Amino acid sequence: RVEIGFNPDPTAPFVRFWVRDHGPGISPKQQEKLFVEFSRLPENERSIEGHGLGLSIVQRIVHKLGGEVGVDSRPGAGSTFWFTLPRARVTDPGPVPPGTPPPLP
C-alpha cells in the first residue's frame, strides 16, 4: 500500500509533499546511501532495473528550487519519502481570465 499527500497549511512558508509505503523499511546505514549517485541498496541490485540515479536527480532539482528532500524510515515500519518546496508568493495576481477555476485552498 502506498499513500501520497501534502501539507496544505497556507500559513507555512513551505509545502511538504510525501510518499509513504508500508514495506520493509530502510536501515539508517542504508539511508546514508539513498541520495548518492549510482548507489543501490543490495537487495535491489538484481531485482529492480536502474542505475541508482533517481533520488540523486530528485534531490538536485528540489535543492535548485529552494527546497529539501529526505526520508523517514525504520526497518519493519515502512518508509516516508518527502520533499519541501517554497510556497509561491503572489503579490499582484493581475486580472483573472473568464472561466478560470478558483484557486485551491
Side-chain angles (χ1 to χ4, degrees):
R1 190 174 86 201
V2 175
E3 301 169 30
I4 300 171
F6 71 100
N7 175 5
D9 181 358
T11 62
F14 289 86
V15 178
R16 182 178 169 124
F17 300 88
W18 50 267
V19 177
R20 179 178 303 137
D21 69 44
H22 298 274
I26 304 168
S27 74
K29 186 171 179 87
Q30 291 173 323
Q31 289 177 39
E32 293 173 8
K33 300 177 185 179
L34 281 177
F35 298 97
V36 177
E37 290 179 349
F38 302 107
S39 178
R40 308 219 22 225
L41 298 181
E43 61 272 8
N44 292 336
E45 286 183 359
R46 293 191 185 128
S47 63
I48 298 176
E49 292 184 31
H51 299 289
L53 289 171
L55 288 174
S56 64
I57 292 171
V58 167
Q59 185 178 53
R60 199 175 294 165
I61 292 169
V62 169
H63 284 171
K64 285 184 182 268
L65 293 171
E68 295 181 27
V69 63
V71 62
D72 300 316
S73 185
R74 287 190 344 251
S79 303
T80 301
F81 287 85
W82 56 266
F83 67 95
T84 61
L85 293 175
R87 184 173 295 285
R89 292 183 180 90
V90 179
T91 54
D92 180 12
V96 177
T100 301
L104 295 173

